[in-house]
Amino acid sequence: MAKTRIGILGYGNLGRGVELSCRQNDDMELAAVFTRRDPSSVRPLTEGVAVHSADDLAAHAGDIDVLVLCGGSASDLPEQTPACASLFNVVDSFDTHAKIPEHFANVDAAAREGGKVAVISAGWDPGMFSLARLYATSILPDGADYTFWGRGVSQGHSDAIRRVEGVADARQYTVPVPAALEAVRAGETPELTTRQKHTRECYVVAKEGADRAAIERAIVEMPNYFADYDTTVTFVTQEELDRDHAGIPHGGSVIRSGKTGRDGENRHVVEFSLTLDSNPEFTGSVLVACARAAHRLALEGQTGCKTMFDIAPAYLSSMSGEELRASML
Amino acid sequence: MAKTRIGILGYGNLGRGVELSCRQNDDMELAAVFTRRDPSSVRPLTEGVAVHSADDLAAHAGDIDVLVLCGGSASDLPEQTPACASLFNVVDSFDTHAKIPEHFANVDAAAREGGKVAVISAGWDPGMFSLARLYATSILPDGADYTFWGRGVSQGHSDAIRRVEGVADARQYTVPVPAALEAVRAGETPELTTRQKHTRECYVVAKEGADRAAIERAIVEMPNYFADYDTTVTFVTQEELDRDHAGIPHGGSVIRSGKTGRDGENRHVVEFSLTLDSNPEFTGSVLVACARAAHRLALEGQTGCKTMFDIAPAYLSSMSGEELRASML
């Protein structure tokens, strides 16, 4: 069977994660990288992969089965995904939870117009964590669920800080509040505000002469990203950031406690947890599995925008239904 | 919207679990219980639910949207599910992993003949644990996964023991080997045989005058169920069994360790775990979510046998796509 030809738009950490995942999957082939930088300045890890300007995307529509969009959610994806979805089957990792319905509608219209399949908000949250919430809530409707992130670096939040005026570079760590995590794991169902569950630690390199107070204010007051959390901003030099905050680990848990029985006498705790050395490489691996699904759905004649909620799990696997039933069920 | 009318075939622990789950889901309605016992001897917990003889199933095909089969995998379901799948949309929890391909083929033929949807092998293993394996393996192809069960009572294995000649009653506990579980959680990827991962503890009530040595031999040598494990058989009185082994807890973990990166330098651990006070009530809750999906798939005109691998997660939820994207993604 022919390999799925993958295009990557945006060759940063996530784009490299997608590339590395393609190398692990025999049915996937990285066909091209598209960049807004000078293409001659971008060198993929994989020999022989073409690098094109993002301006030339349309000219390569016939060479790519699925375009994986690796930009940021703050300003790239809201424009890029709808723009690309009428030309390509696409996958993105749009992670601004509050704006997903709007993004879905925009991408759905574009994908239907072009007769393409788009998968949005893939990754681990949104993505695998969303699935854990959906499955556990569908099974245990009488219960409460909790999502804890970290301790780890959030790409989306680091990206958002980097877009603040005067910021040269940044790393943001999401940290669960230990007492909250312990209570939920023990089967308690406390009412927890956003603020009671996590803190956010920001390590920021300011540009020379930048107004640090203004930067700090812009970060801690940023809606959706930081305003609802206890956020600390620590200014560091680029050297300190590179030395002490080079890794991109992450992780977390989705935990649902639910009751069943005649009088709710039986309690069940469902937990899905991740411990990731490299957030972008794991996220890239989810995107590639979703690209496989998008290609299959497109070959079946489906069109429009999907999330992982709408994709039968078997579509993510390179195995046939027979192989899956024999080996994994 | 009209409720999904559920029928239950077999009113034991699992059947009651399905009934209790129907009571928690506003879009589900328990329409009838079918039993091989004298119907007048069966009293559902839910007021006004009809109890019919299993012999009269065909006469009630028009009253039921989905029939949930709550028999055992050893001898009930291999016959019942194919027999029912041409008359009803059905869901079962067939859990003899080695025989799933054969069961799938039999049920698929019957369901297609009748134009019905059948969902087999639903529950938590097979079921939710299978999904955890599929998702994690699709995302991290370079890795190893491990499934640990327990400590908990296995319904299927207890049922298998009860079918041994001379056995009056039994409870089987599946117990993970602690050292194996610890190594895997720490990110190691040891090669573990079936025997190195779990032990099986059987508490058995023998019928008066039964040959205990023959019972023990029949259990420990039983293929698929016990032959590949270190199995201990302890004979107890019915009174002891009722006093010390009345609960039906279970649980376990699916853990996959995988590597990504240029040289596999980044490790990721994905874990899905369950801690269940009542195995049949949790399993029943999964079956009801799958019944919702089966009904929807049938209304869309789909036919044939499915597993949870083939069902887009959104079908399991009572929420609309819009609600799911806004609240869970």
Side-chain angles (χ1 to χ4, degrees):
Chain A
M1 191 182 148
K3 295 188 179 197
T4 297
R5 298 167 301 168
I6 299 292
I8 292 171
L9 173 56
Y11 194 67
N13 287 327
L14 182 57
R16 275 186 293 275
V18 169
E19 179 181 20
L20 289 165
S21 177
C22 287
R23 291 151 63 111
Q24 289 188 317
N25 287 283
D26 293 342
D27 60 335
M28 296 283 138
E29 179 184 12
L30 179 57
V33 169
F34 298 89
T35 179
R36 288 178 301 189
R37 291 180 270 167
D38 172 3
S40 69
S41 72
V42 172
R43 285 189 176 263
L45 299 168
T46 311
E47 291 264 333
V49 169
V51 180
H52 304 296
S53 165
D55 296 335
D56 297 335
L57 267 166
H60 296 279
D63 311 334
I64 302 290
D65 294 312
V66 185
L67 183 66
V68 183
L69 302 167
C70 298
S73 296
S75 55
D76 298 333
L77 297 176
E79 293 183 10
Q80 286 176 347
T81 314
C84 293
S86 58
L87 289 170
F88 296 90
N89 301 311
V90 297
V91 177
D92 83 13
S93 63
F94 185 76
D95 70 356
T96 310
H97 291 258
K99 294 186 177 173
I100 286 173
E102 179 188 342
H103 189 59
F104 184 93
N106 293 340
V107 175
D108 192 51
R112 287 184 192 281
E113 189 195 315
K116 301 294 182 184
V117 170
V119 180
I120 64 159
S121 300
W124 61 273
D125 196 1
M128 293 305 298
F129 273 18
S130 317
L131 290 173
R133 288 186 282 264
L134 188 163
Y135 278 116
T137 303
S138 300
I139 295 165
L140 297 172
D142 181 7
D145 62 66
Y146 301 87
T147 302
F148 293 96
W149 299 276
R151 186 176 197 263
V153 174
S154 163
Q155 295 171 287
H157 289 78
S158 299
D159 199 48
I161 298 172
R162 276 187 221 103
R163 289 169 195 283
V164 169
E165 197 184 325
V167 170
D169 203 353
R171 272 290 188 287
Q172 192 268 184
Y173 293 90
T174 307
V175 186
V177 174
L181 185 55
E182 283 164 29
V184 171
R185 279 222 173 102
E188 295 174 34
T189 52
E191 292 263 355
L192 297 169
T193 64
T194 297
R195 201 173 296 274
Q196 287 172 319
K197 285 165 63 186
H198 298 91
T199 52
R200 295 198 178 274
E201 298 175 6
C202 309
Y203 294 85
V204 179
V205 181
K207 288 180 180 163
E208 214 176 304
D211 179 344
R212 294 185 172 202
I215 291 172
E216 179 165 350
R217 203 166 49 241
I219 294 170
V220 303
E221 293 176 357
M222 195 185 298
N224 298 324
Y225 284 87
F226 295 102
D228 298 334
Y229 300 84
D230 287 342
T231 301
T232 56
V233 176
T234 305
F235 288 97
V236 296
T237 65
Q238 185 72 53
E239 188 186 30
E240 288 168 334
L241 194 78
D242 294 344
R243 186 190 65 208
D244 302 334
H245 305 281
I248 320 180
H250 217 319
S253 296
V254 172
I255 305 172
R256 185 168 180 90
S257 278
K259 294 177 194 170
T260 64
R262 207 161 173 169
D263 301 300
E265 67 273 21
N266 289 314
R267 180 169 291 286
H268 311 282
V269 179
V270 180
E271 178 165 355
F272 178 76
S273 63
L274 295 170
T275 308
L276 310 176
D277 275 358
S278 167
N279 184 357
E281 289 180 11
F282 186 84
T283 301
S285 298
V286 179
L287 296 185
V288 169
C290 288
R292 176 184 289 125
H295 189 203
R296 287 187 182 167
L297 291 167
L299 290 173
E300 289 182 6
Q302 296 206 37
T303 63
C305 190
K306 319 270 182 195
T307 72
M308 294 182 84
F309 292 165
D310 307 308
I311 299 174
Y315 283 87
L316 301 176
S317 172
S318 62
M319 293 188 197
S320 70
E322 291 76 7
E323 289 170 323
L324 288 173
R325 286 190 293 276
S327 67
M328 293 214 185
L329 195 61
Chain B
M1 190 182 149
K3 295 188 179 197
T4 297
R5 297 167 301 167
I6 299 292
I8 291 172
L9 173 56
Y11 194 68
N13 287 327
L14 182 56
R16 275 186 293 274
V18 170
E19 178 181 21
L20 289 164
S21 177
C22 286
R23 290 151 64 112
Q24 289 188 317
N25 286 283
D26 293 341
D27 60 335
M28 297 283 139
E29 179 184 10
L30 178 58
V33 169
F34 297 88
T35 180
R36 289 178 301 189
R37 292 179 270 166
D38 173 0
S40 69
S41 72
V42 172
R43 286 190 173 261
L45 298 169
T46 310
E47 291 265 333
V49 169
V51 181
H52 303 296
S53 165
D55 296 335
D56 297 334
L57 268 166
H60 296 279
D63 311 334
I64 302 290
D65 294 311
V66 185
L67 182 67
V68 183
L69 302 167
C70 297
S73 295
S75 54
D76 298 333
L77 297 176
E79 294 184 8
Q80 285 177 348
T81 313
C84 294
S86 58
L87 289 171
F88 297 89
N89 301 310
V90 297
V91 177
D92 83 12
S93 63
F94 185 76
D95 70 355
T96 310
H97 291 259
K99 294 188 178 172
I100 286 174
E102 179 188 340
H103 189 59
F104 184 93
N106 293 340
V107 175
D108 192 51
R112 287 185 192 280
E113 189 195 315
K116 301 294 182 183
V117 170
V119 180
I120 63 159
S121 301
W124 60 274
D125 197 359
M128 293 305 298
F129 273 18
S130 317
L131 290 173
R133 289 186 281 265
L134 188 164
Y135 278 115
T137 303
S138 300
I139 295 165
L140 298 171
D142 181 6
D145 62 66
Y146 300 86
T147 302
F148 293 96
W149 299 275
R151 186 174 198 264
V153 174
S154 163
Q155 296 171 286
H157 289 78
S158 299
D159 199 48
I161 298 172
R162 277 187 220 103
R163 290 169 194 284
V164 170
E165 197 185 325
V167 171
D169 202 353
R171 271 290 187 286
Q172 193 268 184
Y173 294 90
T174 307
V175 186
V177 174
L181 185 56
E182 282 164 27
V184 171
R185 279 225 172 100
E188 296 174 34
T189 53
E191 292 263 355
L192 297 169
T193 63
T194 297
R195 200 173 298 275
Q196 287 172 318
K197 286 166 61 188
H198 297 91
T199 52
R200 295 198 178 274
E201 298 175 6
C202 308
Y203 295 85
V204 178
V205 181
K207 289 180 181 163
E208 214 176 305
D211 180 344
R212 293 184 173 204
I215 291 172
E216 179 165 352
R217 201 164 52 241
I219 295 170
V220 303
E221 294 178 356
M222 195 184 299
N224 299 321
Y225 284 87
F226 294 102
D228 298 334
Y229 300 84
D230 287 341
T231 300
T232 57
V233 176
T234 305
F235 287 96
V236 295
T237 65
Q238 186 72 52
E239 188 186 29
E240 287 169 332
L241 194 79
D242 294 345
R243 187 191 62 207
D244 301 334
H245 305 283
I248 319 179
H250 216 319
S253 296
V254 172
I255 305 171
R256 185 168 180 89
S257 278
K259 292 178 196 171
T260 64
R262 207 160 173 170
D263 301 300
E265 66 274 22
N266 289 315
R267 180 169 291 285
H268 311 281
V269 179
V270 180
E271 178 166 354
F272 178 75
S273 64
L274 295 171
T275 309
L276 311 176
D277 276 357
S278 166
N279 184 357
E281 289 180 12
F282 186 83
T283 301
S285 298
V286 179
L287 296 186
V288 168
C290 288
R292 176 184 290 125
H295 189 204
R296 286 187 182 166
L297 291 166
L299 290 174
E300 289 181 7
Q302 296 206 38
T303 63
C305 190
K306 320 271 180 193
T307 73
M308 294 182 85
F309 292 164
D310 308 308
I311 299 174
Y315 283 88
L316 301 176
S317 172
S318 61
M319 292 188 198
S320 71
E322 291 77 7
E323 288 170 324
L324 288 173
R325 286 190 293 276
S327 67
M328 293 213 185
L329 195 61

